[in-house]
């Protein structure tokens, strides 16, 4: 029973993700495309959840669905001059088609030549604490890269805040 | 049809449920305040203020016509403004009611001899309750809403009566 | 500092809350109106229901909104008969000028504020109506000066 | 009972709780706001006005449902659901008692905050689809303020996570049972170390509630009704419901993180176990009352001040505090990791 429910959920999520991607590519309304992208990202988050990667799923939803989509929507809304501009007719460009074909070929080659490890799902899902343990205490671990990236982000943030303070006009 | 007898326009089930809905409608009259002059400040704002408290009877203010049930036209309506008033009325979802609040909305009031003033909003809208006064007291509008509630609830009685007559 | 201001505001609203409501539950309790509160115009009547209007037209001329309409007919014996004193309540701004102007104190400002009407026709009120039943009484006193109809024209008014 | 049936029943219970919450909170809001204004609030329909909200719901259900001509039909219909669903999903991880919760998520805290952040997308959708400038401005404002305050909100719960060492909400609650020195309950709010985090949490959580002082997205004096301007009948009701459900979630999060969840001091576990959900609900409703109190007191903040406050004051402040807090608990070895 549980297995079939899992399969069903996987099928729903996978179809939703693919459908969202197809919808994003084919819809001529740029707003629809943005919302389809949001939908795809949510579905991918659901797939992560099915794989018991809770933390990854939530970060996916937060960063991609919560922040990146909003950024896109903001850019779209700030650059559209009229509502009607949101809808574009299909303009076929040979160079883009060529690029897409090349990309498809590389993907096909990569996937068909890749060897996937034969692993079953873990009996007990790793929780967030395990993630933290791996991150901070593993041999030759990930602590240094993690801290460096955190520091870079913090520096960027401080710089941004300092920058927006502007000149003291008083 | 047999089913029509049970659920049709003239059936007891329909009338009774309609009575319940009318009771609900009469008790949650959200108003769209169309205040264009002094009445809106002196009568209407006061009526929903702490002293007289419109919210007691479930009446409160929505800014958007899409969520309003009652339109209170409070103040002078110019011919130029009449179009806007009518648009706002058309934007309200059914069932909807109109209260003409104050002398200007009733008949044009002190300004009715000027050529640019609409002689009462009932020229453009189906007004349900007229509230005379310049401006009316807050209690006047409370009384008007009680009259309106009676009118809304009365529809079910009329339906019942019509049913009795048709038998 | 506005941190302090926020706390002060919160304190004030809480004090208001604890102080309890000041609401008048209108249909069940009423505010006592001030003595000189003015609402719709009414006709002063004595115990017998008689009014004091002489159809002098002062109130009609005094009204800034031109909402009073007095129609009378003069009989052969110079006596005035009020056909109607029509009052458009819907346009009245309740300024009280007609009451001040009336030399016979025949009008007063009412204190009834429950004036809401369901139809437009009800907004126009006939304050005084001359009825046929009053005609014989008037005929008796036909020679007298038409000063203040004591019992000659019974007002069958349909005032609100 | 099969686990599928059990989870279905739990979801239904969450939906029921959300609907009941909406009805009760609207009534409570009107009464509390009324009292704060020295008014009465609804009293005439039913005993003490208790039937007022059911009547409102009934009226909204039987109202005409208008679809304006120029709206983007698909998005216009999806938007209320897109707002309603995340706020319903947010109930999943809230622990009402040791055993009463929809699911015991290991990342419950993160889950709740992430799901709540999706509400603003629905509001933007509604604003765009309505083909109305006020709606669009309302939706943009809503998303802008949600994004801006998301960061301090997520960062402000970090001290708690650092202290307890878990994202699981019921573990966080368990860490707060017991008393300090036998006098104070061992809730995080009684520990001065958590006060800065609590203040930042409340300020940023008020954004999620979408009410004054931060109701920029439906500022009635500027934007008619903001993102909901073109919505009528029950579609508008869904927006309303989601808003009130959000205030419940925010209050529940504050109670769970800082006020000890369902724990009570001095009460033995055997007594506490059956009444834990009641204790939790009482605490949450007190929290909601404080939110309403704030709503009844403060005027609206200006939009640019709001954004500047988030980016220039709140985020640096919360980052600094995390640094200081980390040093403090490391130096004095204060952390009490559970599990």
């Amino acid at each position: 029973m549980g297995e079939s429910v899992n399969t069903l959920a996987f099928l729903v999520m996978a179809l939703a993700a693919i459908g969202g991607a197809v919808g994003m590519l084919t819809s001529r309304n740029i707003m629809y495309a943005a919302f389809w992208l949001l939908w795809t990202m949510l579905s991918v988050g659901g797939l992560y959840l099915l794989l018991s990667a809770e933390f990854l799923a939530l970060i996916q939803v937060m960063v991609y669905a919560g922040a990146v989509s909003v950024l896109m929507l903001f850019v779209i809304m700030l650059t559209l001059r009229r509502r009607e501009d949101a809808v574009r007719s299909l303009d076929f460009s040979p160079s883009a088609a060529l690029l897409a074909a090349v990309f498809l070929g590389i993907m096909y080659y990569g996937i068909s030549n890749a060897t996937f490890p034969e692993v079953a799902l873990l009996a007990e899902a790793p929780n967030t604490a395990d993630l933290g343990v791996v991150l901070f205490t593993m041999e030759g671990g990930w602590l240094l890269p993690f801290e460096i990236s955190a520091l870079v982000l913090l520096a960027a943030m401080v710089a941004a805040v300092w920058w927006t303070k502007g000149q003291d006009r008083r | 049809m047999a089913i029509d007898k049970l659920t049709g326009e003239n059936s007891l089930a329909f009338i009774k449920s309609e009575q319940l809905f009318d009771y609900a409608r009469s008790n949650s009259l959200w108003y769209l305040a169309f205040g264009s002059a002094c009445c809106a400040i002196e009568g209407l704002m006061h009526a929903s203020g702490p002293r007289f408290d419109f919210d007691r009877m479930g009446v409160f203010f929505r800014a958007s016509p899409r969520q309003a049930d009652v339109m209170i036209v409070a103040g002078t309506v110019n011919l130029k403004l009449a179009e806007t008033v009518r648009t706002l009325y058309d934007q309200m979802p059914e069932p909807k009611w109109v209260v003409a609040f104050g002398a200007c909305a009733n008949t044009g009031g002190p300004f009715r001899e000027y050529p640019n003033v609409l002689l009462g909003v009932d020229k453009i809208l189906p007004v349900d309750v007229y509230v005379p006064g310049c401006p009316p007291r807050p209690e006047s509008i409370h009384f008007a809403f009680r009259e309106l509630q009676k009118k809304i609830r009365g529809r079910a009685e009329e339906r019942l009566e019509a049913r009795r007559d048709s038998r | 500092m506005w941190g302090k201001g926020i706390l002060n505001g919160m304190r004030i609203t809480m004090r208001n809350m604890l102080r309890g409501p000041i609401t008048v539950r209108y249909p069940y309790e009423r505010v006592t109106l001030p003595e000189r509160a003015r609402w719709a115009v009414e006709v002063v009547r004595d115990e017998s229901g008689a009014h004091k209007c002489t159809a002098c037209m002062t109130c009609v001329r005094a009204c800034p909104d031109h909402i009073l309409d007095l129609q009378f007919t003069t009989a052969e014996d110079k006596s005035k008969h009020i056909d109607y004193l029509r009052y458009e309540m819907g346009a009245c701004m309740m300024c009280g000028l007609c009451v001040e102007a009336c030399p016979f104190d025949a009008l007063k400002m009412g204190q009834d504020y429950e004036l809401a009407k369901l139809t437009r026709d009800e907004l126009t009120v006939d304050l005084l109506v001359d009825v046929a039943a009053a005609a014989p009484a008037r005929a008796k006193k036909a020679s007298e000066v038409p000063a203040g109809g004591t019992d000659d024209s019974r007002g069958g008014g349909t005032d609100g | 009972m099969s686990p599928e049936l059990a989870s279905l029943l739990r979801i239904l219970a969450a939906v029921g709780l959300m609907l009941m919450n909406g009805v009760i909170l609207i009534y409570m809001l009107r009464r509390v706001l009324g009292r704060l204004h020295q008014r009465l609030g609804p009293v005439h329909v039913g005993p003490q006005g208790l039937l007022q909200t059911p009547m409102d719901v009934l009226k909204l259900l039987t109202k005409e449902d208008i679809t304006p001509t120029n709206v983007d039909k698909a998005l216009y219909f999806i938007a209320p659901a897109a707002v309603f669903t995340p706020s319903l999903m947010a109930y999943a991880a809230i622990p009402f008692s040791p055993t009463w919760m929809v699911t015991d998520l290991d990342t419950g805290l993160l889950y709740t905050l992430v799901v709540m952040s999706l509400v603003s997308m629905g509001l933007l959708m509604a604003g765009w689809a309505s083909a109305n400038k006020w709606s669009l401005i309302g939706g943009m404002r809503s998303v802008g303020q949600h994004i801006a305050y998301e960061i301090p909100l997520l960062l402000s719960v970090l001290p708690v996570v650092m202290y307890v060492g878990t994202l699981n909400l019921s573990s966080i609650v368990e860490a707060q049972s017991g008393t300090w020195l036998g006098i104070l309950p061992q809730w995080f709010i009684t520990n001065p170390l958590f006060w800065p985090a609590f203040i930042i949490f409340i300020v940023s959580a008020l954004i999620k509630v979408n009410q004054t002082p931060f109701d920029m997205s439906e500022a009635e004096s500027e934007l008619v009704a903001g993102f909901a301007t073109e919505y009528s009948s029950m579609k508008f009701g869904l927006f309303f419901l989601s808003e009130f459900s959000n205030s419940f979630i925010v209050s529940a999060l504050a109670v769970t993180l800082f006020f000890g969840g369902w724990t009570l001091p001095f009460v033995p576990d055997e007594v506490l176990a059956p009444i834990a959900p009641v204790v939790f609900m009482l605490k949450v409703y007190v929290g909601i009352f404080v939110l309403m109190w704030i709503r009844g007191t403060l005027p609206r903040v200006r939009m640019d001040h709001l954004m500047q406050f988030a980016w220039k004051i709140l985020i640096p402040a919360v980052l600094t505090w995390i640094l200081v807090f980390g040093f403090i608990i490391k130096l004095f070895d204060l952390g009490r990791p559970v599990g």
Side-chain angles (χ1 to χ4, degrees):
Chain A
M1 181 70 188
E3 200 56 37
S4 68
V5 168
N6 268 352
T7 315
L8 190 71
F10 171 77
L11 278 179
V12 169
M13 294 285 182
L15 284 179
I18 295 170
V22 170
M24 180 186 81
L25 288 174
T26 52
S27 70
R28 303 322 311 159
N29 188 331
I30 193 164
M31 285 298 291
Y32 284 11
F35 281 117
W36 274 124
L37 182 63
L38 171 65
W39 173 252
T40 311
M41 283 163 175
L42 287 177
S43 315
V44 172
L47 283 176
Y48 285 142
L49 207 58
L50 272 185
L51 294 169
S52 305
E54 268 178 32
F55 190 74
L56 194 57
L58 289 176
I59 294 299
Q60 158 89 9
V61 172
M62 187 168 73
V63 173
Y64 285 98
V68 172
S69 311
V70 169
L71 191 69
M72 286 183 155
L73 286 168
F74 257 69
V75 169
I76 290 170
M77 286 186 178
L78 290 175
T79 48
L80 285 183
R81 280 174 58 218
R82 293 184 304 268
R83 286 178 67 81
E84 295 77 46
D85 287 352
V87 186
R88 295 270 171 83
S89 58
L90 186 74
D91 56 345
F92 182 78
S93 133
S95 52
L98 190 69
L99 204 62
V102 168
F103 185 70
L104 187 71
I106 292 173
M107 286 297 282
Y108 179 75
Y109 179 77
I111 291 173
S112 56
N113 281 8
T115 47
F116 293 104
E118 299 260 336
V119 216
L121 276 180
L122 295 176
E124 192 162 340
N127 59 20
T128 323
D130 296 338
L131 187 75
V133 169
V134 170
L135 198 59
F136 287 112
T137 58
M138 212 166 82
E139 265 321 295
W142 296 92
L143 184 60
L144 195 65
F146 180 77
E147 287 299 330
I148 287 173
S149 57
L151 211 61
V152 168
L153 285 176
L154 185 68
M157 206 161 187
V158 169
V161 169
W162 179 78
W163 205 355
T164 52
K165 281 278 187 200
Q167 301 254 311
D168 199 350
R169 289 199 183 82
R170 273 167 293 169
Chain B
M1 293 295 286
I3 191 79
D4 237 28
K5 223 170 202 172
L6 290 174
T7 60
E9 189 86 1
N10 210 15
S11 67
L12 203 61
F14 180 82
I15 291 175
K16 283 289 171 193
S17 59
E18 205 44 34
Q19 193 169 15
L20 175 68
F21 292 146
D22 276 344
Y23 184 74
R25 282 168 197 147
S26 72
N27 276 318
S28 95
L29 294 165
W30 302 353
Y31 68 87
L32 169 76
F34 193 81
S36 54
C38 33
C39 276
I41 308 292
E42 301 198 6
L44 209 50
M45 303 297 131
H46 196 182
S48 32
R51 184 79 163 143
F52 297 103
D53 191 16
F54 238 154
D55 202 16
R56 272 182 308 137
M57 42 207 276
V59 180
F60 68 93
F61 145 82
R62 286 303 310 172
S64 166
R66 302 279 187 214
Q67 295 132 26
D69 308 286
V70 189
M71 183 178 188
I72 302 181
V73 187
T76 326
V77 179
N78 292 335
L79 292 183
K80 202 171 180 180
L81 191 63
E83 213 173 305
T84 313
V85 177
R86 180 70 213 188
T87 312
L88 282 173
Y89 177 77
D90 288 340
Q91 280 175 341
M92 282 163 58
E94 292 280 350
K96 52 192 172 185
W97 297 273
V98 179
V99 174
F101 187 67
C104 294
N106 281 335
T107 58
F111 309 107
R112 60 185 181 154
E113 281 149 14
Y114 299 160
N116 61 330
V117 171
L118 189 72
L119 298 179
V121 281
D122 51 357
K123 296 273 186 293
I124 48 170
L125 309 174
V127 178
D128 291 277
V129 186
Y130 298 84
V131 191
C134 189
R137 272 193 77 80
E139 290 106 319
S140 305
I141 184 81
H142 282 225
F143 178 73
F145 266 74
R146 293 200 98 76
E147 292 285 297
L148 185 60
Q149 286 182 338
K150 261 183 234 160
K151 182 175 176 176
I152 297 168
R153 285 174 202 158
R155 295 197 302 196
E157 309 294 321
E158 280 167 28
R159 277 215 173 91
L160 275 176
E161 209 126 291
R163 185 183 137 88
R164 228 173 282 133
D165 291 345
S166 69
R167 285 274 167 102
Chain C
M1 259 322 273
W2 52 264
K4 213 169 142 194
I6 288 175
L7 288 183
N8 196 27
M10 302 280 282
R11 186 178 64 81
I12 288 170
T13 37
M14 182 42 82
R15 200 182 59 199
N16 281 351
M17 180 163 185
L18 296 178
R19 207 182 265 165
I22 57 163
T23 308
V24 180
R25 298 157 63 101
Y26 157 64
Y28 308 108
E29 49 187 77
R30 281 152 200 265
V31 182
T32 35
L33 290 185
E35 201 181 321
R36 295 171 67 184
R38 305 190 300 244
W39 297 101
V41 175
E42 286 171 8
V43 171
V44 178
R45 295 176 192 283
D46 59 17
E47 304 83 49
S48 63
H51 65 83
K52 290 196 256 179
C53 183
T54 62
C56 67
M57 302 288 280
T58 317
C59 56
V60 177
R61 275 184 223 108
C63 181
D65 287 353
H66 312 299
I67 57 165
L68 287 169
D69 184 9
L70 184 78
Q71 196 72 48
F72 62 90
T73 43
T74 315
E76 284 167 19
D77 52 359
K78 302 284 171 61
S79 67
K80 281 179 180 172
H81 297 255
I82 302 173
D83 294 338
Y84 55 80
L85 171 53
R86 191 161 292 160
Y87 166 55
E88 266 188 75
M89 191 196 289
C92 180
M93 58 183 191
M94 287 143 193
C95 58
L97 286 181
C98 51
V99 174
E100 276 176 34
C102 183
F104 301 98
D105 289 339
L107 294 174
K108 67 171 182 188
M109 301 306 286
Q111 296 226 334
D112 180 21
Y113 46 76
E114 294 178 338
L115 299 168
K117 302 281 187 286
L118 292 178
T119 57
R120 173 133 195 187
D121 298 338
E122 290 174 69
L123 285 178
T124 308
V125 175
D126 280 348
L127 289 179
L128 292 175
V129 179
D130 204 9
V131 278
R138 199 181 299 119
K140 260 187 270 171
K141 297 179 183 174
S143 56
E144 284 178 25
V145 191
T150 46
D151 59 347
D152 47 5
S153 67
R154 192 172 63 75
T158 57
D159 48 329
Chain D
M1 195 158 34
S2 69
E4 282 81 16
L5 191 63
S7 43
L8 198 66
L9 282 179
R10 283 176 175 188
I11 293 168
L12 281 181
V15 175
L17 178 70
M18 181 178 181
L19 297 179
M20 281 307 292
N21 259 333
V23 170
I24 293 170
L25 284 183
I26 291 170
Y27 173 71
M28 181 178 160
L29 174 75
R30 287 169 78 172
R31 286 312 293 264
V32 169
L33 275 190
R35 291 301 298 261
L36 287 172
H37 298 162
Q38 301 195 328
R39 296 186 283 125
L40 278 169
V43 284
H44 288 325
V45 191
Q48 285 297 307
L50 273 170
L51 287 178
Q52 183 63 57
T53 343
M55 289 302 151
D56 283 343
V57 172
L58 213 55
K59 182 211 75 177
L60 278 179
L61 281 171
T62 55
K63 204 83 176 136
E64 183 192 0
D65 190 11
I66 294 181
T67 307
T69 321
N70 281 331
V71 298
D72 198 325
K73 292 244 165 33
L75 293 185
Y76 182 80
F77 277 98
I78 295 171
V83 173
F84 182 81
T85 319
S87 28
L88 173 63
M89 280 164 74
Y91 278 82
I94 304 285
F96 291 87
S97 84
T99 48
W100 283 35
M101 57 192 96
V102 178
T103 169
D104 190 12
L105 266 185
D106 194 43
T107 45
L109 178 57
L110 194 61
Y111 169 82
T112 314
L113 292 175
V114 164
V115 162
M116 292 275 285
S117 77
L118 289 178
V119 171
S120 63
M121 297 298 296
L123 298 187
L124 182 63
M125 204 189 271
W128 166 265
S130 290
N132 181 323
K133 58 190 166 197
W134 308 126
S135 302
L136 184 56
I137 295 174
M140 297 279 273
R141 277 183 175 185
S142 150
V143 173
Q145 70 185 25
H146 274 78
I147 291 290
Y149 280 80
E150 195 85 349
I151 302 159
L153 183 64
L154 276 167
L155 292 180
S156 69
V157 298
L158 267 189
V160 176
V161 178
M162 284 155 77
Y163 193 79
V164 183
T166 176
L167 288 168
N168 188 324
L169 285 175
S170 40
S171 306
I172 291 176
V173 172
E174 268 156 33
Q176 300 178 57
S177 55
T179 50
W180 305 104
L181 309 171
I183 314 164
L184 281 173
Q186 207 171 27
W187 302 342
F188 289 149
I189 193 66
T190 54
N191 186 346
L193 269 181
F194 288 100
W195 288 354
F198 176 67
I199 291 169
I200 294 170
F201 175 81
I202 282 299
V203 172
S204 7
L206 274 177
I207 290 284
K208 295 275 162 214
V209 187
N210 212 358
Q211 63 180 25
T212 42
F214 302 132
D215 66 338
M216 298 311 304
S217 51
E218 48 176 347
E220 271 169 350
S221 44
E222 309 161 26
L223 299 182
V224 187
F227 55 83
T229 305
E230 295 291 339
Y231 281 89
S232 58
S233 89
M234 208 52 206
K235 286 206 200 101
F236 165 70
L238 284 184
F239 282 125
F240 229 63
L241 212 56
S242 136
E243 208 170 279
F244 281 98
S245 143
N246 284 352
S247 73
F248 180 87
I249 297 288
V250 160
S251 181
L253 261 190
V255 166
T256 313
L257 291 177
F258 295 102
F259 291 89
W262 34 263
T263 60
L264 274 184
F266 317 120
V267 181
D269 279 349
E270 311 84 66
V271 185
L272 189 62
I275 59 164
V278 182
V279 172
F280 182 78
M281 289 301 269
L282 274 180
K283 281 183 182 177
V284 171
Y285 269 75
V286 170
I288 292 172
F289 170 75
V290 174
L291 292 184
M292 287 171 181
W293 182 13
I294 292 172
R295 177 183 180 146
T297 304
L298 300 177
R300 193 176 298 135
V301 186
R302 219 172 76 188
M303 189 62 194
D304 56 336
H305 288 181
L306 186 70
M307 300 302 270
Q308 285 188 5
F309 184 64
W311 292 107
K312 293 186 187 172
I313 298 175
L314 226 45
I315 294 178
V318 73
L319 282 174
T320 317
W321 178 246
I322 287 173
L323 196 68
V324 173
F325 186 85
F327 273 120
I328 290 174
I329 59 167
K330 199 68 198 169
L331 285 182
F332 301 100
D333 199 22
L334 291 172
R336 293 184 302 157
V338 291

